[in-house]
Amino acid sequence: MGIYTFFSSNIVITTLILVLGVLATILEKSEKIKTPIASFIQKRKNMRQAAIEKETYKMEMMQSIADKLDSFEARFDNLECKVDKLEGKVDKLEERVLENEADRLRDVLFSCGNACRRKVPLDGESYRHIQDVYKKYSETLHQNGAGHDEYEFITNYYNSQQF
């Protein structure tokens, strides 16, 4: 049985090779069959190449977008840093302005107080101005101390004047 199986499998293989050889010869000689198959194969290659090019283009575009986002993020971080610095400078300037305003108002109070000490008459309009200055000095700028004492002196002087 072993030898017959060998011969029968050998016959099958030989027959297949012969059939494939005949088909290959027919396909090679026949343009009607060869052209559509070659055309089909070429279309498949072209479709595959177009898909590869499309994917490559997508990848390039995604990389370009990622690079632009990285650049934007770096610029945004830089701007945030600059804004933080500017906010710090604005806070310092605001503090200085308030200090300068408090000093200016204190100087107005002390100038008026010095004039009162020299017995310069203080009229009602000047006293109302001093009241406004002191109100801004104490309530808006939250200052007290020497300015408060000077205002008290000016108020006592104004009330003690005889018109």
Side-chain angles (χ1 to χ4, degrees):
M1 180 146 149
I3 195 130
Y4 294 115
T5 307
F6 173 73
F7 284 121
S8 67
S9 63
N10 197 10
I11 292 171
V12 171
I13 291 174
T14 306
T15 307
L16 280 174
I17 290 174
L18 259 170
V19 170
L20 287 175
V22 170
L23 282 174
T25 305
I26 292 171
L27 288 175
E28 196 172 298
K29 301 292 181 187
S30 171
E31 284 296 320
K32 287 182 181 178
I33 297 174
K34 184 178 179 183
T35 304
I37 292 174
S39 175
F40 174 77
I41 292 172
Q42 188 62 37
K43 283 182 186 176
R44 293 296 292 176
K45 281 183 182 179
N46 290 343
M47 287 173 52
R48 192 175 305 128
Q49 185 63 31
I52 290 170
E53 289 173 2
K54 188 175 181 180
E55 284 299 315
T56 303
Y57 176 74
K58 284 181 183 177
M59 294 298 286
E60 288 172 354
M61 290 304 294
M62 289 176 70
Q63 185 61 43
S64 173
I65 290 170
D67 292 344
K68 288 178 183 176
L69 282 174
D70 290 342
S71 172
F72 177 75
E73 186 177 353
R75 287 187 290 171
F76 183 75
D77 290 343
N78 190 19
L79 286 175
E80 273 186 324
C81 182
K82 287 180 180 180
V83 166
D84 290 343
K85 287 179 182 177
L86 286 174
E87 284 177 347
K89 287 179 180 180
V90 166
D91 290 343
K92 286 179 184 177
L93 284 173
E94 188 176 66
E95 185 178 311
R96 286 169 133 178
V97 165
L98 290 176
E99 287 174 5
N100 288 341
E101 182 67 5
D103 289 345
R104 186 187 70 77
L105 295 175
R106 191 178 310 114
D107 286 346
V108 169
L109 289 172
F110 280 109
S111 294
C112 182
N114 285 336
C116 292
R117 284 182 183 82
R118 286 178 287 151
K119 305 294 183 204
V120 175
L122 183 63
D123 63 0
E125 184 177 326
S126 295
Y127 182 68
R128 281 189 293 283
H129 174 68
I130 292 299
Q131 285 177 321
D132 292 340
V133 166
Y134 179 71
K135 182 177 181 182
K136 186 173 183 182
Y137 178 77
S138 65
E139 292 177 8
T140 306
L141 299 176
H142 307 290
Q143 299 289 319
N144 281 316
H148 176 73
D149 296 340
E150 199 66 15
Y151 177 72
E152 289 295 320
F153 174 77
I154 294 168
T155 301
N156 291 336
Y157 177 77
Y158 178 76
N159 291 334
S160 69
Q161 287 185 100
Q162 302 202 356
F163 294 101

